[in-house]
């Protein structure tokens, strides 16, 4: 077993000596055939050889007040009903489960619309749904708070030890007063949801005091303890299985469906399935906070920043610990001696807020990068040149050296590929055509991760870890890393994920999954390679592994012969270390957009989009590009579509389904190109890769907004940019 703590840069690994040609290759996903043929089993699709029970959540219909009574008599008398459970102290209010309060539901207070107050269990889903609707929940309403800025005077700052504490250096007000050019503007973004294709679903089966959960869960290490605690059972009595996940984006860390299914299964003695409806997801699973961001930029006549401020308001449900870290990507981005990055949290009677793809940067880069565009126009300067003049040598807030940073290279390459130097505003019939650019930035993390690798006598290798694949390509990249390190073709690698009986992996989230899990795999492979070299009477550096053979000196021996009768097995474990404190680690990119605005109707069409990204070593060119493009598409959604609209009278979302909560569809998405400036970052992890899953969304929305302004001259600071916000300011065509 090899454990490595990232206290210093990691040296050469078996990947660097590999000659198999797998690493970085744009290979098809090895799990693709199972998914497209329906053979992949998702959370709600597991079957049993005995009857199953079905549960449907019972929810309250006020956002603030108390439950006066719950009348379940009619529901209990309905056909097929097995149980109406409203008094179990383990019943979850919503996700995340860490907020479960052990209290009598009838006597408890309600703090947001749609809180779960029980579960109806029946022989079929239809019978359970009918029973849940028949339960009469009588509530005593109280005045609620639903508007962040109305209650801004009640805001509090980050708690001690927060992920993003307030940063104030120098005097931004003085810098603004002394600046040759200054921008002081407020940008707002609305509440948003994950909108994953697969809804939250779970099946639970009890065997005595042991619980097996088939769920859709991104982070096993975090969720297993949380769910076990919610069920009042020891962690080792809960086994979790999640082989395939139909999208998560930070929302699937163990939702209320897991505990509801467990309660229903215990009550009935059957395996029980609970799937939240799309409407319930909006209120029972946290989403992204709305934000109000005051951006201040102070610069001299040459565009050199003397002050930068991003001071924001965000919202959270009472008692919620998380807050949207709006300035997370901004604090280390541009040079300026005077700096202010602060957050004020306003408690509202709305659905909790939590991690949604790129928490912080996805919305924070909107305000910053639109403000940078405004500053460039005030200066009469190319917006890329403005960023070049404010590129720091070290992290401008912490003073730490960067582990790697290729932002300017991204702009240079992107400008050339996009044709930035030859762009021109023009009119095509009724359409006004413009172009925009923005920086992408996302902090880089490393998480604890373990993996087992087994090289069998038949010459095949198996990788086992409870790491998950939420559609990012984890199955494939782990196979590529193991194959490259051991010199095996990819069809000789079996990857097994999503089972808590396997070594604890990093999980999928925070863009740390790929780098962390592949690092643990390569560390395990290093042990096996060392043993193979010993059996070849060679040093690992003097041995070549290729096509299932070991080659050293004048000998070429099949791996199956070297392994012998007993498999070679090793576990590799990676831990974050001092390097996380010694270096400023982040990923960067440049986003380019061409947008067309109809001068008559105000319609917007994004016609071209191109991104160049710096995210360390590329493990699979095809899956990396797919991740980048997916984020860029989401950026279009934040620019033009996504808005979870709150009814100010009730605190309920009025558009709580995918018919009314608009996201980009095929006709909204243009030609998109994604490229990479590759550099192996030895300070980040043994593999040298960094996160990409959340980088693509960062800056994408701002690039769209900047292109719209370039096209029609209307600067919208209240997102999303909809027709009604453009019409009044459109120039005559």
């Amino acid at each position: 077993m090899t454990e490595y703590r990232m206290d210093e840069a990691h040296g050469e690994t078996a990947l660097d000596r590999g000659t198999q040609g797998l690493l970085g290759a744009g290979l098809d996903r090895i799990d693709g055939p199972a998914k497209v043929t329906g053979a992949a089993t998702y959370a709600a699709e597991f079957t049993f050889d005995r009857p199953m029970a079905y549960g449907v959540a019972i929810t309250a219909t006020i956002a603030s007040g108390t439950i006066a009574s719950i009348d379940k008599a009619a529901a209990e008398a309905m056909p097929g009903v097995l149980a109406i459970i409203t008094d179990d102290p383990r019943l979850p209010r919503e996700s995340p489960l860490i907020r479960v309060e052990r209290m009598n539901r009838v006597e408890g207070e309600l703090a947001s619309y749609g809180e779960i107050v029980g579960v109806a269990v029946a022989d079929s889903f239809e019978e359970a749904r009918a029973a849940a609707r028949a339960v009469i929940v009588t509530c005593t309403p109280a005045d609620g708070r639903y508007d962040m800025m109305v209650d801004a005077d009640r805001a509090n700052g980050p708690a001690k030890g927060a992920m993003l504490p307030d940063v104030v250096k120098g005097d931004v007000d003085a810098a603004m007063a002394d600046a040759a050019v200054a921008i002081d503007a407020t940008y707002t973004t609305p509440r948003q949801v994950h909108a994953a294709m697969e809804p939250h679903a779970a099946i639970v089966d009890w065997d005595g005091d042991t619980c097996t959960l088939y769920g859709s869960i991104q982070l096993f290490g975090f969720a297993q303890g949380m769910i076990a605690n919610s069920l009042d059972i020891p962690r080792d009595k809960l086994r979790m299985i999640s082989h395939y996940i139909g999208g998560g984006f930070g929302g699937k860390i163990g939702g209320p469906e897991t505990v509801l299914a467990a309660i229903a299964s215990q009550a009935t003695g059957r395996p029980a399935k609970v799937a939240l409806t799309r409407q319930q997801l909006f209120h029972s699973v946290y989403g992204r906070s709305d934000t109000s961001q005051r951006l201040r930029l102070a610069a001299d006549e040459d565009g050199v920043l003397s002050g930068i401020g991003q001071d924001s308001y965000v919202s959270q449900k009472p008692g919620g610990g998380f807050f949207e870290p709006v300035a997370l990507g901004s604090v280390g981005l541009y040079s300026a001696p005077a700096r202010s990055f602060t957050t004020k949290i306003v408690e509202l009677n709305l659905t909790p807020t939590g991690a949604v793809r790129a928490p912080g940067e996805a919305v924070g880069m909107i305000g910053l990068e639109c403000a940078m565009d405004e500053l460039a126009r005030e200066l009469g300067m190319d917006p890329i040149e403005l960023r070049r003049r404010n590129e720091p040598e070290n992290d401008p807030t912490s003073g730490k050296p960067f582990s790697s940073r290729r932002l300017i290279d991204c702009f240079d390459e992107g400008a050339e590929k996009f044709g930035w130097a030859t762009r021109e505003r023009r009119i095509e019939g009724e359409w006004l055509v413009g172009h925009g650019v923005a920086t992408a930035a996302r902090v880089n993390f490393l998480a604890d991760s373990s993996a087992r690798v087994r090289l069998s006598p038949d010459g095949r290798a198996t990788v086992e870890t409870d790491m998950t694949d939420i559609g990012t390509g984890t199955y494939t990249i782990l196979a590529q890393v193991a194959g490259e390190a051991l010199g095996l073709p990819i069809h000789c690698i079996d990857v097994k994920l999503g089972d808590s009986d396997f070594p604890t992996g990093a999980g999928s989230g925070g863009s740390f999954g790929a780098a962390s899990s592949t690092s643990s795999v390569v560390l395990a492979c290093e042990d096996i390679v060392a043993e193979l070299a010993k059996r070849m009477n060679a040093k690992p550096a003097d041995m070549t592994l290729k096509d299932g053979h070991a080659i050293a000196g004048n000998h070429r021996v099949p791996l199956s012969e070297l392994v012998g009768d007993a498999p070679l097995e090793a576990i590799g474990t990676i831990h974050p270390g001092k390097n996380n404190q010694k270096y400023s680690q982040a990923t960067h990119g440049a986003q380019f957009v061409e947008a067309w605005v109809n001068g008559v109707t105000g319609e917007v069409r994004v016609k071209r989009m191109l991104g160049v990204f710096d995210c360390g070593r590329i493990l699979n060119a095809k899956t990396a590009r797919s991740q980048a493009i997916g984020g860029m598409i989401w950026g279009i959604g934040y620019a033009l579509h996504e808005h979870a609209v709150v009814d100010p009278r009730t605190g309920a979302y009025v558009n709580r389904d995918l018919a009314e909560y608009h996201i980009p569809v095929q006709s909204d998405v243009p030609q998109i190109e994604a490229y990479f400036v590759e550099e192996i970052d030895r300070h980040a992890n043994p593999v040298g890769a960094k996160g990409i899953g959340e980088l693509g969304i960062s800056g994408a929305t701002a690039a769209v907004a900047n292109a719209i302004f370039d096209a029609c001259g209307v600067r919208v600071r209240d997102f999303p940019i909809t027709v009604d916000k453009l019409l009044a300011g459109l120039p005559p065509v």
Side-chain angles (χ1 to χ4, degrees):
M1 179 175 179
T2 294
E3 292 194 48
Y4 189 84
R5 189 172 300 277
M6 283 301 300
D7 289 332
E8 58 186 6
H10 196 282
E12 183 184 79
T13 70
L15 294 181
D16 302 294
R17 301 188 297 269
T19 60
Q20 194 65 33
L22 294 177
L23 197 65
L27 303 182
D28 293 340
R29 300 177 189 228
I30 60 175
D31 54 324
K35 288 183 174 180
V36 299
T37 59
T41 305
Y42 289 83
E45 298 176 333
F46 285 87
T47 58
F48 297 82
D49 57 3
R50 62 190 195 279
M52 184 180 293
Y54 297 82
V56 171
I58 303 166
T59 58
T61 54
I62 66 169
S64 179
T66 57
I67 301 172
S69 65
I70 299 178
D71 185 350
K72 52 187 182 179
E76 289 174 328
M78 296 177 71
V81 172
L82 301 172
I84 305 294
I85 304 168
T86 60
D87 56 358
D88 193 312
R90 300 172 297 173
L91 283 169
R93 285 180 179 270
E94 70 248 321
S95 179
L97 298 174
I98 200 166
R99 296 195 182 97
V100 168
E101 299 174 32
R102 306 201 179 284
M103 56 191 294
N104 187 308
R105 307 305 300 170
V106 174
E107 296 174 0
E109 293 185 356
L110 298 170
S112 68
Y113 187 95
E115 284 189 8
I116 295 169
V117 299
V119 59
V121 190
D123 289 325
S124 70
F125 165 72
E126 291 79 9
E127 290 167 325
R129 179 178 59 184
R133 291 174 176 173
V135 175
I136 301 172
V137 182
T138 302
C139 301
T140 303
D143 292 336
R145 297 184 172 92
Y146 311 125
D147 189 307
M148 180 173 68
M149 296 316 293
V150 167
D151 285 290
D153 60 343
R154 302 177 59 254
N156 296 305
K160 184 178 180 180
M163 174 185 178
L164 180 65
D166 286 348
V167 174
V168 178
K169 292 188 173 185
D171 190 336
V172 174
D173 288 333
M176 293 288 286
D178 295 339
V181 180
I183 298 295
D184 189 340
T186 297
Y187 284 84
T188 61
T189 62
R191 285 193 158 230
Q192 298 149 342
V193 301
H194 301 91
M197 184 179 295
E198 177 201 26
H200 285 55
I203 298 174
V204 171
D205 188 23
W206 288 85
D207 182 7
D209 62 352
T210 301
C211 173
T212 301
L213 163 66
Y214 305 86
S216 188
I217 299 170
Q218 296 178 226
L219 300 159
F220 270 41
F222 175 74
Q224 188 177 20
M226 183 175 64
I227 295 171
N229 179 64
S230 296
L231 292 173
D232 283 333
I233 62 174
R235 181 180 181 132
D236 61 4
K237 294 295 184 180
L238 172 64
R239 182 186 180 192
M240 301 196 312
I241 295 174
S242 189
H243 297 317
Y244 299 98
I245 301 173
F249 313 118
K252 290 179 175 173
I253 62 170
E257 74 283 355
T258 61
V259 175
L260 293 178
I263 291 171
S265 178
Q266 269 190 322
T268 61
R270 303 182 186 180
K273 177 194 296 188
V274 173
L276 299 181
T277 67
R278 184 65 64 179
Q279 291 78 12
Q280 287 173 339
L281 284 178
F282 276 73
H283 291 293
S284 298
V285 177
Y286 55 84
R288 195 190 302 276
S289 169
D290 43 349
T291 75
S292 177
Q293 310 170 33
R294 184 189 180 193
L295 269 298
R296 290 176 292 167
L297 300 175
D300 64 18
E301 60 275 5
D302 294 322
V304 177
L305 290 170
S306 57
I308 179 170
Q310 186 171 28
D311 302 294
S312 304
Y313 285 90
V314 300
S315 64
Q316 179 56 286
K317 183 175 177 176
F322 175 92
F323 69 89
E324 186 75 22
V326 176
L328 190 61
S330 306
V331 291
L333 198 51
Y334 299 125
S335 292
R339 314 174 69 77
S340 177
F341 301 100
T342 65
T343 311
K344 298 295 184 184
I345 303 103
V346 182
E347 290 192 343
L348 300 177
N349 295 112
L350 297 176
T351 304
T353 63
V356 183
R357 192 175 194 172
E361 293 96 342
V363 287
M365 297 300 290
I366 297 174
L368 177 61
E369 290 303 292
C370 286
M372 287 290 284
D373 194 69
E374 291 196 50
L375 179 61
R377 292 178 184 278
E378 287 292 321
L379 289 163
M381 182 180 295
D382 185 298
I384 295 179
E385 180 60 26
L386 174 63
R387 290 163 173 85
R388 190 188 308 275
R389 295 186 183 189
N390 291 283
E391 174 70 0
E393 292 185 5
N394 294 307
D395 186 298
T397 295
S398 68
K400 298 175 184 177
F402 296 114
S403 63
S404 68
R405 178 166 166 134
R406 301 283 299 279
L407 175 58
I408 299 303
D409 293 335
C410 291
F411 274 114
D412 289 343
E413 183 173 327
E416 182 178 352
K417 292 180 180 296
F418 188 78
W420 182 256
T422 58
R423 74 195 185 283
E424 59 178 350
R425 295 173 61 191
R426 65 186 191 274
I427 299 176
E428 299 276 355
E430 294 181 350
W431 294 89
L432 309 170
V433 182
H435 305 85
V437 70
T439 296
R442 170 68 178 157
V443 292
N444 186 66
F445 299 107
L446 180 67
D448 292 317
S449 183
S450 295
R452 179 188 298 116
V453 178
R454 183 184 306 108
L455 184 59
S456 302
D458 60 1
R460 298 185 62 84
T462 300
V463 177
E464 295 176 339
T465 171
D466 76 4
M467 175 66 184
T468 54
D469 190 329
I470 57 173
T472 52
T474 307
Y475 278 102
T476 308
I477 61 170
L478 294 190
Q480 287 177 269
V481 167
E484 189 71 21
L486 298 176
L488 290 172
I490 198 164
H491 66 264
C492 292
I493 309 292
D494 299 309
V495 179
K496 298 181 179 181
L497 303 178
D499 188 328
S500 60
D501 281 353
F502 296 152
T504 302
S508 299
S511 293
F512 52 66
S516 304
S517 59
T518 55
S519 291
S520 57
V521 168
V522 79
L523 290 173
C525 289
E526 288 277 271
D527 278 359
I528 294 175
V529 170
E531 179 60 29
L532 292 173
K534 181 179 178 181
R535 297 182 184 191
M536 288 289 288
N537 294 315
K539 296 178 180 179
D542 298 329
M543 179 180 67
T544 299
L545 298 174
K546 185 172 176 62
D547 295 333
H549 290 75
I551 305 166
N554 294 320
H555 299 283
R556 187 173 188 269
V557 182
L559 293 184
S560 56
E561 183 177 321
L562 277 181
V563 171
D565 296 333
L568 297 179
E569 184 175 296
I571 294 178
T573 300
I574 185 69
H575 300 291
K578 295 178 182 178
N579 263 22
N580 299 79
Q581 304 302 320
K582 291 191 293 187
Y583 294 93
S584 175
Q585 297 188 22
T587 55
H588 300 92
Q591 305 267 20
F592 295 81
V593 167
E594 179 180 301
W596 292 35
V597 180
N598 191 289
V600 177
T601 67
E603 294 173 76
V604 175
R605 294 287 180 264
V606 177
K607 289 288 190 177
R608 275 200 304 152
M609 201 169 191
L610 182 148
V612 180
F613 304 102
D614 157 33
C615 45
R617 174 180 251 158
I618 300 302
L619 303 173
N620 180 308
K622 181 177 287 188
T623 58
R625 178 177 176 272
S626 176
Q627 282 294 289
I629 288 175
M632 295 163 77
I633 292 171
W634 205 333
I636 295 174
Y638 277 8
L640 304 177
H641 304 290
E642 294 197 41
H643 183 182
V645 181
V646 176
D647 186 334
R649 303 165 300 176
T650 64
Y653 291 127
V654 300
N655 56 337
R656 52 185 182 265
D657 57 45
L658 295 186
E660 296 299 328
Y661 181 83
H662 294 164
I663 58 177
V665 296
Q666 284 89 334
S667 59
D668 296 310
V669 179
Q671 168 190 336
I672 297 183
E673 300 173 66
Y675 303 94
F676 301 99
V677 176
E678 188 171 6
E679 177 181 349
I680 299 173
D681 190 339
R682 301 288 185 188
H683 298 294
N685 52 73
V687 173
K690 296 200 285 191
I692 189 173
E694 294 165 303
L695 181 61
I697 191 175
S698 174
T701 300
V704 174
N706 294 337
I708 290 171
F709 176 81
D710 188 58
C712 68
V714 181
R715 178 70 70 180
V716 178
R717 300 187 181 96
D718 178 31
F719 286 79
I721 302 172
T722 49
V723 169
D724 55 300
K725 298 172 186 176
L726 292 173
L727 277 174
L730 289 177
V733 177

